[in-house]
Amino acid sequence: IAGILFYKLGNPVVDFLPLQASISWWLIFFVRQLVTLQIAHCSQYVFVDMLALRSIVSVKVFGPLLTLFVIQAKGWPFVVTFWGLWNLLLIHGGQPFQKNWLFFTDIRMFSSENTDDGVLQHELYLRILLSMVIAGAAVTIKRTYMAYYFGKRTFFHFKQQLGSLVTTIFLLTEIADLAEE
């Protein structure tokens, strides 16, 4: 659709927005947003599902508190935070790669002819991305604090019962060892 708009319809511009980016550029921008969203989902799979939940490497390398922080971020806070971070890294700015990922090809639609008119460098876009990162991080901090607080409270409440249970399990283990001999 972006190609039809760019090549056949003369690259029309949206007049109701403050900046004069073309419709084909907005469509390509939307696809790039979908790509960075998928990268954020893949990052969640790698960092949360594989490293934090399926292996003990993260606990040994980063410690239990940071691992708990990553686990508590699972879901929309992690995705929104990393979507914002990936956008800051790959899309926001004025460099040729950030303006269009396929700038190095000889395709006119991916060149400076299809301009963003400063959308990627606009202060509002930066504020949106920073808001995404801050909102996800704030929810994760709150979740981690609540998990730590209630976990600590539960431990102190059931400490006596847990101690007697461990003693009973230890006694049963010794009896089982004696039964084997």
Side-chain angles (χ1 to χ4, degrees):
I1 295 175
I4 293 170
L5 289 169
F6 184 81
Y7 293 111
K8 299 293 183 191
L9 298 177
N11 202 17
V13 175
V14 180
D15 291 330
F16 62 88
L17 293 175
L19 300 172
Q20 298 295 316
S22 65
I23 298 173
S24 64
W25 183 87
W26 281 109
L27 290 173
I28 294 169
F29 177 73
F30 178 72
V31 170
R32 292 169 67 192
Q33 289 295 318
L34 291 176
V35 169
T36 55
L37 177 62
Q38 289 304 312
I39 294 172
H41 279 286
C42 291
S43 299
Q44 176 177 267
Y45 178 74
V46 169
F47 292 121
V48 178
D49 294 336
M50 289 179 63
L51 293 177
L53 293 174
R54 292 187 185 167
S55 73
I56 60 170
V57 173
S58 65
V59 176
K60 289 183 178 181
V61 173
F62 301 113
L65 188 60
L66 190 59
T67 303
L68 177 66
F69 184 80
V70 171
I71 291 170
Q72 293 301 318
K74 185 173 180 162
W76 75 264
F78 189 94
V79 172
V80 167
T81 300
F82 271 77
W83 191 16
L85 289 172
W86 283 115
N87 274 302
L88 284 168
L89 181 68
L90 297 175
I91 297 177
H92 179 265
Q95 299 299 319
F97 177 77
Q98 294 160 331
K99 287 185 176 189
N100 204 315
W101 293 341
L102 298 175
F103 75 97
F104 55 87
T105 63
D106 290 332
I107 302 171
R108 284 182 38 227
M109 185 171 62
F110 301 124
S111 69
S112 59
E113 288 181 45
N114 198 6
T115 181
D116 68 328
D117 197 36
V119 172
L120 300 178
Q121 300 169 21
H122 200 273
E123 182 182 347
L124 178 63
Y125 182 57
L126 177 62
R127 285 183 179 192
I128 290 170
L129 295 179
L130 292 177
S131 298
M132 291 169 63
V133 173
I134 291 169
V139 170
T140 302
I141 290 169
K142 181 204 65 122
R143 284 182 177 183
T144 305
Y145 174 76
M146 297 305 287
Y148 184 74
Y149 174 76
F150 285 120
K152 190 174 173 182
R153 197 169 157 211
T154 302
F155 175 76
F156 284 123
H157 181 41
F158 292 107
K159 183 178 179 181
Q160 189 84 19
Q161 294 170 345
L162 184 62
S164 68
L165 181 64
V166 169
T167 304
T168 306
I169 291 173
F170 183 68
L171 180 63
L172 287 172
T173 305
E174 287 182 354
I175 292 171
D177 288 341
L178 286 174
E180 283 183 359
E181 291 178 7

